[in-house]
Amino acid sequence: MGHWICCLCSRVADPFMLLLVLALGCNRSTAATTSPSVPHVKPSYSFGRTFLGLDKCNACIGTSICKKFFKEEIRFDTWLSSHLKLPPSSLLSYSGNYTDDAKSWRLVDITRLTSKYQHDRADKRICTSLLKTRTCSLERALRRTQRFQKWLRAKRLTPDLVQGLSSPMLRCPSQRLLDRIVRRYAEVPDAGSIYMDHLTDRDKLRLLYTLAVNSHPILLQIFPDVEGWPFPRYLGSCGRLVVSASTRPLRDFYGAAPEVAADLALQLLAVLRSMATNDLNYFFYFTHVDAGTFGVFSNGHLFIRDASTLGIIDKEEGSQLINGQQEYKDIFSCLTVDCQSPFVSCDSIREKHSLAMVCQELLPKLLTGKFLPPVQEKIDSFLQRCARSLGNERGINEAIAELAEILKPLRSCDSRFAYRYPDCRYSDKY
């Protein structure tokens, strides 16, 4: 009735009739209460706990960025329209879009620490090894382990708590490195303390699980890009998914123009130099490199895209493990690797190993056949010697300087290299 009166009120022209209608109580607020509005249903992603891995928590990485997913402030690249379906959960990584204001979007990488198949296999191993069943509560099973019980009682993360974990980062740990992990662990409120008092039991399990499966997100957190480290920015985790700044893998640039290839090769050498020599006295080394280890941002800047194969030796403190501790094995040692895999001795690692691997696996694909004969011959000759670890003739810095001198005149200064343009026009550094 109220709705009919208001419609009439807007159409009637006769003054007398208008007064009559007003007397009957033409009131828009009354009309609104007599005709309840139908709520607008916003289409959204059908996020399942299984897709994100939240059903596995607290045997997961974290939950710091879950709100972004559920508020649709993180969307998958080819699923930018929210009514479309999610990508297959079997993929290892996804290209996504991230926003803070719902207006401007930037590219991000959404990755799993290992494939869903490997995750499922590890979950089954936990149940069958610890509880002798095919399925179980992963959290309950892992909480009962001797290692985690030691974590619960510990006030500080010490080398004996990480002994036997398969991550290269923890094969030769120092107390200084472990303190840095606790102090900068981004999945908990920042306490700035080396003691684990601010970590709940849940937080400790998530940190232990992440270190056991893949230390990549931890490296991004404790050596952030804003401090000049060559890693993409860590944005957060949800379940078993990690979100970081987007880079294109180096393999996409194998067919690049000569000046682009020379620029990327020089950046690659600079990263290796900074990994071997830096202000914090940490020596980073690779246990494996491939076409996905390094990535390139949209501004042409090269970063370490996958830090999972990076080991760290503390040149200031040295390794804190005593003889035999590396060989300790338990369920956390076997989540992603064969328990029988031997550990590399800390004493056997040399600074030249990473450069030799890069000369074998990456630089030939980036630089071969790109330049005129005299220069190309010099590059090929160096790469052959470099791939053989350069013998004992020189250190890594001298070797890197030799190749850098060949490559520097080959790169150009233009807007394709936004990370150093227009600075390169006014500086001899470039």
PDB file of all heavy atoms in Angstrom, residues 380-396:
ATOM      1  N   ASP A 380      83.123 -18.241 -24.726  1.00  0.00           N
ATOM      2  CA  ASP A 380      83.077 -19.705 -24.758  1.00  0.00           C
ATOM      3  C   ASP A 380      84.269 -20.311 -24.037  1.00  0.00           C
ATOM      4  O   ASP A 380      84.135 -21.306 -23.302  1.00  0.00           O
ATOM      5  CB  ASP A 380      83.028 -20.201 -26.205  1.00  0.00           C
ATOM      6  CG  ASP A 380      81.729 -19.813 -26.908  1.00  0.00           C
ATOM      7  OD1 ASP A 380      80.762 -19.453 -26.195  1.00  0.00           O
ATOM      8  OD2 ASP A 380      81.689 -19.859 -28.150  1.00  0.00           O
ATOM      9  N   SER A 381      85.439 -19.727 -24.232  1.00  0.00           N
ATOM     10  CA  SER A 381      86.646 -20.232 -23.584  1.00  0.00           C
ATOM     11  C   SER A 381      86.539 -20.116 -22.063  1.00  0.00           C
ATOM     12  O   SER A 381      86.881 -21.048 -21.323  1.00  0.00           O
ATOM     13  CB  SER A 381      87.872 -19.466 -24.085  1.00  0.00           C
ATOM     14  OG  SER A 381      89.037 -19.841 -23.374  1.00  0.00           O
ATOM     15  N   PHE A 382      86.031 -18.973 -21.593  1.00  0.00           N
ATOM     16  CA  PHE A 382      85.880 -18.790 -20.152  1.00  0.00           C
ATOM     17  C   PHE A 382      84.878 -19.786 -19.583  1.00  0.00           C
ATOM     18  O   PHE A 382      85.121 -20.398 -18.536  1.00  0.00           O
ATOM     19  CB  PHE A 382      85.422 -17.372 -19.829  1.00  0.00           C
ATOM     20  CG  PHE A 382      85.136 -17.162 -18.370  1.00  0.00           C
ATOM     21  CD1 PHE A 382      86.150 -16.792 -17.496  1.00  0.00           C
ATOM     22  CD2 PHE A 382      83.864 -17.370 -17.848  1.00  0.00           C
ATOM     23  CE1 PHE A 382      85.897 -16.618 -16.140  1.00  0.00           C
ATOM     24  CE2 PHE A 382      83.602 -17.202 -16.502  1.00  0.00           C
ATOM     25  CZ  PHE A 382      84.629 -16.833 -15.649  1.00  0.00           C
ATOM     26  N   LEU A 383      83.736 -19.960 -20.252  1.00  0.00           N
ATOM     27  CA  LEU A 383      82.699 -20.852 -19.735  1.00  0.00           C
ATOM     28  C   LEU A 383      83.195 -22.292 -19.645  1.00  0.00           C
ATOM     29  O   LEU A 383      82.828 -23.026 -18.720  1.00  0.00           O
ATOM     30  CB  LEU A 383      81.447 -20.775 -20.614  1.00  0.00           C
ATOM     31  CG  LEU A 383      80.693 -19.443 -20.594  1.00  0.00           C
ATOM     32  CD1 LEU A 383      79.467 -19.504 -21.485  1.00  0.00           C
ATOM     33  CD2 LEU A 383      80.291 -19.065 -19.172  1.00  0.00           C
ATOM     34  N   GLN A 384      84.022 -22.706 -20.587  1.00  0.00           N
ATOM     35  CA  GLN A 384      84.574 -24.061 -20.538  1.00  0.00           C
ATOM     36  C   GLN A 384      85.472 -24.241 -19.317  1.00  0.00           C
ATOM     37  O   GLN A 384      85.396 -25.249 -18.612  1.00  0.00           O
ATOM     38  CB  GLN A 384      85.350 -24.354 -21.832  1.00  0.00           C
ATOM     39  CG  GLN A 384      84.455 -24.506 -23.051  1.00  0.00           C
ATOM     40  CD  GLN A 384      85.249 -24.605 -24.346  1.00  0.00           C
ATOM     41  OE1 GLN A 384      86.479 -24.679 -24.317  1.00  0.00           O
ATOM     42  NE2 GLN A 384      84.547 -24.594 -25.473  1.00  0.00           N
ATOM     43  N   ARG A 385      86.318 -23.249 -19.050  1.00  0.00           N
ATOM     44  CA  ARG A 385      87.191 -23.336 -17.869  1.00  0.00           C
ATOM     45  C   ARG A 385      86.383 -23.215 -16.579  1.00  0.00           C
ATOM     46  O   ARG A 385      86.634 -23.914 -15.602  1.00  0.00           O
ATOM     47  CB  ARG A 385      88.251 -22.228 -17.922  1.00  0.00           C
ATOM     48  CG  ARG A 385      89.312 -22.438 -18.984  1.00  0.00           C
ATOM     49  CD  ARG A 385      90.408 -21.384 -18.908  1.00  0.00           C
ATOM     50  NE  ARG A 385      89.935 -20.064 -19.282  1.00  0.00           N
ATOM     51  CZ  ARG A 385      89.837 -19.034 -18.452  1.00  0.00           C
ATOM     52  NH1 ARG A 385      90.165 -19.179 -17.172  1.00  0.00           N
ATOM     53  NH2 ARG A 385      89.402 -17.854 -18.875  1.00  0.00           N
ATOM     54  N   CYS A 386      85.389 -22.345 -16.604  1.00  0.00           N
ATOM     55  CA  CYS A 386      84.564 -22.115 -15.421  1.00  0.00           C
ATOM     56  C   CYS A 386      83.777 -23.373 -15.054  1.00  0.00           C
ATOM     57  O   CYS A 386      83.642 -23.712 -13.879  1.00  0.00           O
ATOM     58  CB  CYS A 386      83.610 -20.956 -15.693  1.00  0.00           C
ATOM     59  SG  CYS A 386      82.432 -20.620 -14.384  1.00  0.00           S
ATOM     60  N   ALA A 387      83.259 -24.075 -16.059  1.00  0.00           N
ATOM     61  CA  ALA A 387      82.488 -25.286 -15.802  1.00  0.00           C
ATOM     62  C   ALA A 387      83.324 -26.377 -15.151  1.00  0.00           C
ATOM     63  O   ALA A 387      82.785 -27.278 -14.503  1.00  0.00           O
ATOM     64  CB  ALA A 387      81.876 -25.801 -17.102  1.00  0.00           C
ATOM     65  N   ARG A 388      84.637 -26.280 -15.303  1.00  0.00           N
ATOM     66  CA  ARG A 388      85.539 -27.250 -14.659  1.00  0.00           C
ATOM     67  C   ARG A 388      86.051 -26.706 -13.326  1.00  0.00           C
ATOM     68  O   ARG A 388      87.100 -27.133 -12.832  1.00  0.00           O
ATOM     69  CB  ARG A 388      86.718 -27.557 -15.579  1.00  0.00           C
ATOM     70  CG  ARG A 388      86.321 -28.224 -16.890  1.00  0.00           C
ATOM     71  CD  ARG A 388      87.538 -28.768 -17.619  1.00  0.00           C
ATOM     72  NE  ARG A 388      88.469 -27.713 -17.999  1.00  0.00           N
ATOM     73  CZ  ARG A 388      88.446 -27.083 -19.175  1.00  0.00           C
ATOM     74  NH1 ARG A 388      87.516 -27.397 -20.079  1.00  0.00           N
ATOM     75  NH2 ARG A 388      89.325 -26.141 -19.467  1.00  0.00           N
ATOM     76  N   SER A 389      85.306 -25.763 -12.739  1.00  0.00           N
ATOM     77  CA  SER A 389      85.639 -25.141 -11.449  1.00  0.00           C
ATOM     78  C   SER A 389      86.915 -24.314 -11.498  1.00  0.00           C
ATOM     79  O   SER A 389      87.491 -23.987 -10.452  1.00  0.00           O
ATOM     80  CB  SER A 389      85.743 -26.201 -10.350  1.00  0.00           C
ATOM     81  OG  SER A 389      84.493 -26.817 -10.146  1.00  0.00           O
ATOM     82  N   LEU A 390      87.406 -23.989 -12.697  1.00  0.00           N
ATOM     83  CA  LEU A 390      88.538 -23.082 -12.888  1.00  0.00           C
ATOM     84  C   LEU A 390      89.841 -23.610 -12.298  1.00  0.00           C
ATOM     85  O   LEU A 390      90.808 -22.878 -12.143  1.00  0.00           O
ATOM     86  CB  LEU A 390      88.228 -21.714 -12.251  1.00  0.00           C
ATOM     87  CG  LEU A 390      87.012 -20.990 -12.826  1.00  0.00           C
ATOM     88  CD1 LEU A 390      86.533 -19.924 -11.867  1.00  0.00           C
ATOM     89  CD2 LEU A 390      87.351 -20.376 -14.173  1.00  0.00           C
ATOM     90  N   GLY A 391      89.861 -24.897 -11.966  1.00  0.00           N
ATOM     91  CA  GLY A 391      91.074 -25.466 -11.359  1.00  0.00           C
ATOM     92  C   GLY A 391      91.385 -24.757 -10.056  1.00  0.00           C
ATOM     93  O   GLY A 391      90.509 -24.411  -9.287  1.00  0.00           O
ATOM     94  N   ASN A 392      92.633 -24.511  -9.792  1.00  0.00           N
ATOM     95  CA  ASN A 392      93.057 -23.789  -8.591  1.00  0.00           C
ATOM     96  C   ASN A 392      93.702 -22.452  -8.938  1.00  0.00           C
ATOM     97  O   ASN A 392      94.425 -21.875  -8.141  1.00  0.00           O
ATOM     98  CB  ASN A 392      94.053 -24.636  -7.790  1.00  0.00           C
ATOM     99  CG  ASN A 392      93.408 -25.895  -7.240  1.00  0.00           C
ATOM    100  OD1 ASN A 392      92.294 -25.840  -6.750  1.00  0.00           O
ATOM    101  ND2 ASN A 392      94.095 -27.016  -7.350  1.00  0.00           N
ATOM    102  N   GLU A 393      93.410 -21.983 -10.166  1.00  0.00           N
ATOM    103  CA  GLU A 393      94.150 -20.831 -10.654  1.00  0.00           C
ATOM    104  C   GLU A 393      93.720 -19.505 -10.039  1.00  0.00           C
ATOM    105  O   GLU A 393      94.494 -18.566  -9.977  1.00  0.00           O
ATOM    106  CB  GLU A 393      94.044 -20.761 -12.181  1.00  0.00           C
ATOM    107  CG  GLU A 393      92.606 -20.591 -12.660  1.00  0.00           C
ATOM    108  CD  GLU A 393      92.456 -20.826 -14.155  1.00  0.00           C
ATOM    109  OE1 GLU A 393      92.646 -21.972 -14.593  1.00  0.00           O
ATOM    110  OE2 GLU A 393      92.180 -19.850 -14.865  1.00  0.00           O
ATOM    111  N   ARG A 394      92.489 -19.397  -9.552  1.00  0.00           N
ATOM    112  CA  ARG A 394      92.025 -18.108  -9.036  1.00  0.00           C
ATOM    113  C   ARG A 394      90.790 -18.291  -8.170  1.00  0.00           C
ATOM    114  O   ARG A 394      90.141 -19.326  -8.191  1.00  0.00           O
ATOM    115  CB  ARG A 394      91.710 -17.155 -10.182  1.00  0.00           C
ATOM    116  CG  ARG A 394      90.542 -17.607 -11.055  1.00  0.00           C
ATOM    117  CD  ARG A 394      90.426 -16.749 -12.283  1.00  0.00           C
ATOM    118  NE  ARG A 394      91.589 -16.952 -13.138  1.00  0.00           N
ATOM    119  CZ  ARG A 394      91.901 -16.157 -14.135  1.00  0.00           C
ATOM    120  NH1 ARG A 394      91.167 -15.093 -14.377  1.00  0.00           N
ATOM    121  NH2 ARG A 394      92.948 -16.404 -14.884  1.00  0.00           N
ATOM    122  N   GLY A 395      90.459 -17.236  -7.401  1.00  0.00           N
ATOM    123  CA  GLY A 395      89.263 -17.261  -6.584  1.00  0.00           C
ATOM    124  C   GLY A 395      88.038 -16.855  -7.368  1.00  0.00           C
ATOM    125  O   GLY A 395      88.126 -16.418  -8.524  1.00  0.00           O
ATOM    126  N   ILE A 396      86.884 -16.941  -6.726  1.00  0.00           N
ATOM    127  CA  ILE A 396      85.627 -16.662  -7.410  1.00  0.00           C
ATOM    128  C   ILE A 396      85.532 -15.200  -7.841  1.00  0.00           C
ATOM    129  O   ILE A 396      85.053 -14.890  -8.934  1.00  0.00           O
ATOM    130  CB  ILE A 396      84.425 -17.051  -6.517  1.00  0.00           C
ATOM    131  CG1 ILE A 396      83.103 -16.808  -7.270  1.00  0.00           C
ATOM    132  CG2 ILE A 396      84.453 -16.315  -5.197  1.00  0.00           C
ATOM    133  CD1 ILE A 396      81.892 -17.333  -6.538  1.00  0.00           C
TER     134      ILE A 396
END
